[in-house]
Amino acid sequence: MARYLRRRILTGILCIIAALCINFVIIHAAPGDPIRILVGKDNPNPELIAELTEKYGLDQPKIVQFGKYVGNLLKGDMGVSIYTNEPVWDMIVQRLGPTAMLALTSAVLAAIIGTAIGIFCARRVGSKLDMIVGSVSYLFDSTPSFWLGLMLILIFASTLRILPTSGMIDMRADHEGFAKALDIMKHMILPVSALTLTLIPYYFRIARSSIIQVMGEDFITTLRATGVPEKRIFRKYIFRNAILPTITVFGIQLAYLVMGSAIIEIVFSWPGMGSLVMTAITRRDYPLLMGIYLVLSISVAVMMLVVDILYSVLDPRISHECR
Amino acid sequence: MRLNNAIKTINGNPQLRTGCIMLIILLVIALLAPILAPHDPYALSDDMVVAPCREYLLGTDGLGRDILSMILYGARTSLIVGFTAAIIAGIIGTLLGGFAGYFGGKIDGIIGEMINIFMMMPSFFLILIVVALFGSGLFNVMVVIGLTTWVGNAKLMRAQAMSLRQRTFIKAAEAIGENRIKILFKHVIPNGIFPIVANTTMGISGAILTESSLAFLGLGDPNIISWGQIIQNGKSYLVNGWWMCVFAGLAIIFTVITFYLIGDGLNRVLSPKLSKVMFFTM
């Protein structure tokens, strides 16, 4: 177990270092000068350009810039945005909340609904209903999330007019307390539905196939032969064994969801990480971009590590195999 | 004879059969787009935001371009991006996985770690940054998608090579002193390639979805018509011109399903045991 853990942590750290390097190389090799954008194309004031270049350390050799960046990171300083002068960390933290709200809600909903449908179908393998649900899951798997979002807006917001089209709160209504929470919830319905619908097929497939797999194992046949009630076999033996892969998928999905929800956030003008990424890209705000990428990489690495550890605790065969 | 066998296999598997028919439709549309399209997809006209009618079967967009013609031409973009990106990912994955699995030892250690690292990367974000910073030409989009999505193929090929390494015919080739690189390319890869082919087919779907997402975010090639771009332009007309977004989205879904079906069908043909359990593997 300890050896397995050490290996996994090492991989996680390597991954973050690789992310840092890739990040730095890509952003600094890219064409386009952030100082130029900051100064404005029609304002070639050489003194101002030189001053700003020096201020942000862009005149130093790349390796020195990289060393400085890593050094500051270790001190917990991610730098300031070239564009707004705000600390990068603060900008990211502000946006993490709304994104987490969307991502968590839809992940939990999708996991519950998808697993439930998966179990339902697994117990009726090969039936007409199973085939129909399977085909629908194909359909949702092939649907681009942004298009689904637009269709939901088209149906529920602009045609039926029962839900708001975009944003997180109604700016005109000055809600406080409970009314505000209710307002946010109302704004969440459409983006959460779009995300949940695109996530359900994953959980459905995993739950369905792992339950069918466990149902075919020898020990289940033995249990049946010894006359254990079918309900008890399902609850105690099949479900418990078959739910493991769902836990893994949940963890991995959650880590990627921050990025996955970005495009939905843009469709619904949700004030989260997605719109921050887009503004950082259009403004070529290097420190902000690097910060976002780093936070994402670390969160994915940590999430995967947690999932692996959890998995090896729940299923001891995993860490034994690694030896 | 082999062709007959292939047709028999395709016919015997419903996924594969449906997928192949859909693929043929797509290929015909892409190849014959100039003949099939009723209007020039790039030509602007005064008939702006016209709802579907006899003259414009799927309506026109905000600049008076015919949506049907744009969608027909867009099939070309999607197919080119999908195939190229998936093939790049397939080649990289096969080579890296083959080397790691067949040679083992240190090579496997290094490549294995690379696979682990790439698995943890938020790849869509990486694609987004690269395309945004280095320009969004079609070439860039294809290459970047290919370079970031090879991991699944590498894992599959590695497992294949590891098991093939133990087989008698490989051991025999080694015993008579054949060059190991030659064995890898002549025996290991050809014998283990089938799951990678199935996975690559599904990769085409992924690449098409990624390209349309990029185009939707305004990071696609501005000079080429693509379905994501039609939706991006149509977004601002959602209320008055629903047809712009709706039909282009349906085209994406049709294409993505096509390759899912083929990939899934190939997987089932490969291992009949799976066919009851899985709808398709990712």
Side-chain angles (χ1 to χ4, degrees):
Chain A
M1 182 72 195
R3 200 180 142 202
Y4 176 73
L5 211 67
R6 252 202 319 270
R7 246 191 76 92
R8 295 291 302 117
I9 292 176
L10 193 73
T11 307
I13 293 172
L14 268 178
C15 179
I16 293 168
I17 293 173
L20 261 179
C21 297
I22 291 180
N23 203 359
F24 191 84
V25 170
I26 287 175
I27 288 174
H28 283 261
D33 184 352
I35 299 295
R36 281 266 169 198
I37 292 173
L38 200 60
V39 174
K41 276 201 181 100
D42 315 319
N43 182 17
N45 179 350
E47 278 168 38
L48 187 62
I49 291 176
E51 194 189 315
L52 284 170
T53 312
E54 207 190 315
K55 184 180 165 200
Y56 291 109
L58 293 172
D59 52 342
Q60 286 159 333
K62 297 277 186 240
I63 188 84
V64 176
Q65 288 185 38
F66 184 61
K68 252 188 169 166
Y69 177 64
V70 175
N72 284 338
L73 273 183
L74 292 176
K75 280 185 264 170
D77 174 15
M78 296 178 102
V80 287
S81 155
I82 290 188
Y83 205 82
T84 61
N85 244 336
E86 265 179 277
V88 166
W89 178 242
D90 292 356
M91 289 175 85
I92 295 175
V93 168
Q94 270 174 23
R95 302 299 189 99
L96 268 180
T99 294
M101 233 155 72
L102 269 196
L104 270 174
T105 317
S106 18
V108 172
L109 279 177
I112 295 172
I113 300 173
T115 311
I117 304 176
I119 293 172
F120 179 80
C121 284
R123 303 184 83 172
R124 293 164 184 74
V125 185
S127 69
K128 260 208 182 117
L129 205 61
D130 180 34
M131 303 281 262
I132 293 171
V133 175
S135 312
V136 174
S137 101
Y138 256 112
L139 202 64
F140 277 103
D141 220 31
S142 312
T143 308
S145 57
F146 59 88
W147 186 76
L148 195 62
L150 287 175
M151 291 304 109
L152 290 179
I153 293 181
L154 184 61
I155 297 168
F156 294 100
S158 61
T159 310
L160 299 176
R161 293 179 189 281
I162 45 176
L163 288 167
T165 42
S166 61
M168 193 164 94
I169 40 173
D170 193 348
M171 291 293 184
R172 284 163 302 179
D174 201 12
H175 292 307
E176 281 299 328
F178 183 68
K180 192 179 171 189
L182 210 66
D183 191 35
I184 292 179
M185 258 147 81
K186 217 168 140 191
H187 280 82
M188 270 174 78
I189 295 176
L190 287 185
V192 166
S193 311
L195 263 179
T196 310
L197 284 173
T198 45
L199 286 175
I200 285 177
Y202 286 99
Y203 293 104
F204 161 71
R205 244 178 296 132
I206 298 278
R208 182 179 173 276
S209 58
S210 68
I211 284 192
I212 294 175
Q213 212 171 355
V214 176
M215 282 201 301
E217 300 236 9
D218 290 341
F219 74 92
I220 300 293
T221 319
T222 314
L223 284 169
R224 285 217 177 102
T226 51
V228 180
E230 198 63 30
K231 251 190 186 159
R232 191 153 162 232
I233 296 183
F234 187 81
R235 259 193 225 148
K236 208 169 164 198
Y237 300 96
I238 299 180
F239 184 73
R240 280 198 191 175
N241 277 299
I243 203 70
L244 286 174
T246 304
I247 295 173
T248 325
V249 173
F250 184 76
I252 296 170
Q253 280 287 340
L254 209 58
Y256 282 113
L257 207 55
V258 174
M259 203 53 228
S261 66
I263 200 158
I264 287 286
E265 285 177 12
I266 290 164
V267 172
F268 288 94
S269 320
W270 188 262
M273 292 281 274
S275 40
L276 192 65
V277 170
M278 288 314 286
T279 40
I281 283 176
T282 45
R283 289 171 180 169
R284 293 192 191 282
D285 197 335
Y286 292 173
L288 184 55
L289 263 184
M290 289 170 81
I292 296 171
Y293 188 65
L294 191 68
V295 170
L296 277 182
S297 310
I298 293 178
S299 62
V300 173
V302 170
M303 218 53 218
M304 293 241 181
L305 189 67
V306 171
V307 166
D308 276 353
I309 294 170
L310 197 68
Y311 204 88
S312 68
V313 170
L314 292 174
D315 188 352
R317 280 173 299 184
I318 305 277
S319 51
H320 281 291
E321 262 169 32
C322 192
R323 258 171 233 161
Chain B
M1 202 55 213
R2 284 188 85 175
L3 189 74
N4 266 341
N5 268 344
I7 292 175
K8 222 172 162 183
T9 315
I10 290 173
N11 240 333
N13 179 295
Q15 275 92 354
L16 212 51
R17 191 173 54 220
T18 323
C20 284
I21 295 170
M22 287 163 81
L23 179 62
I24 292 170
I25 296 174
L26 272 174
L27 287 176
V28 168
I29 289 176
L31 286 174
L32 301 182
I35 301 170
L36 295 172
H39 297 268
D40 180 353
Y42 295 95
L44 312 179
S45 76
D46 293 334
D47 302 332
M48 289 175 276
V49 202
V50 176
C53 58
R54 193 163 286 180
E55 169 75 11
Y56 303 102
L57 284 176
L58 301 183
T60 62
D61 74 352
L63 298 172
R65 290 175 294 187
D66 178 39
I67 297 282
L68 175 62
S69 310
M70 288 171 84
I71 287 179
L72 292 177
Y73 273 84
R76 294 180 160 195
T77 315
S78 283
L79 290 182
I80 291 172
V81 171
F83 277 114
T84 318
I87 288 171
I88 293 174
I91 292 173
I92 298 175
T94 308
L95 288 180
L96 285 179
F99 269 98
Y102 181 56
F103 288 101
K106 268 199 185 129
I107 297 180
D108 187 29
I110 294 170
I111 297 178
E113 208 55 51
M114 253 170 85
I115 292 176
N116 282 340
I117 288 173
F118 261 85
M119 262 179 68
M120 285 193 183
M121 294 247 166
S123 61
F124 185 69
F125 190 65
L126 200 61
I127 296 172
L128 206 68
I129 296 186
V130 173
V131 171
L133 298 184
F134 287 86
S136 51
L138 201 60
F139 179 77
N140 274 1
V141 172
M142 296 187 298
V143 172
V144 175
I145 296 176
L147 286 179
T148 45
T149 50
W150 50 268
V151 182
N153 293 326
K155 280 184 82 175
L156 279 173
M157 191 67 221
R158 179 168 170 268
Q160 287 282 37
M162 279 166 94
S163 89
L164 280 168
R165 193 171 65 181
Q166 309 294 339
R167 297 274 292 275
T168 332
F169 71 103
I170 301 287
K171 295 222 155 152
E174 279 170 2
I176 51 174
E178 179 125 37
N179 184 324
R180 292 196 77 188
I181 302 266
K182 236 180 172 175
I183 297 179
L184 176 67
F185 283 99
K186 255 178 86 180
H187 302 295
V188 177
I189 290 180
N191 277 298
I193 197 84
F194 205 76
I196 287 92
V197 173
N199 197 49
T200 300
T201 315
M202 301 221 179
I204 298 177
S205 295
I208 291 173
L209 277 177
T210 308
E211 190 271 335
S212 64
S213 304
L214 286 174
F216 173 73
L217 293 176
L219 294 171
D221 194 328
N223 303 315
I224 292 171
I225 291 174
S226 87
W227 294 332
Q229 188 196 49
I230 300 175
I231 298 177
Q232 190 222 355
N233 292 332
K235 196 175 64 171
S236 21
Y237 298 94
L238 196 59
V239 183
N240 306 317
W242 54 268
W243 51 89
M244 296 175 209
C245 290
V246 172
F247 295 121
L250 292 177
I252 296 175
I253 297 175
F254 182 85
T255 314
V256 172
I257 285 188
T258 302
F259 292 104
Y260 270 151
L261 283 172
I262 297 176
D264 190 20
L266 287 175
N267 262 334
R268 284 175 196 229
V269 171
L270 171 74
S271 53
K273 244 168 78 184
L274 280 182
S275 59
K276 235 176 108 183
V277 178
M278 291 193 169
F279 273 112
F280 47 87
T281 45
M282 285 307 286

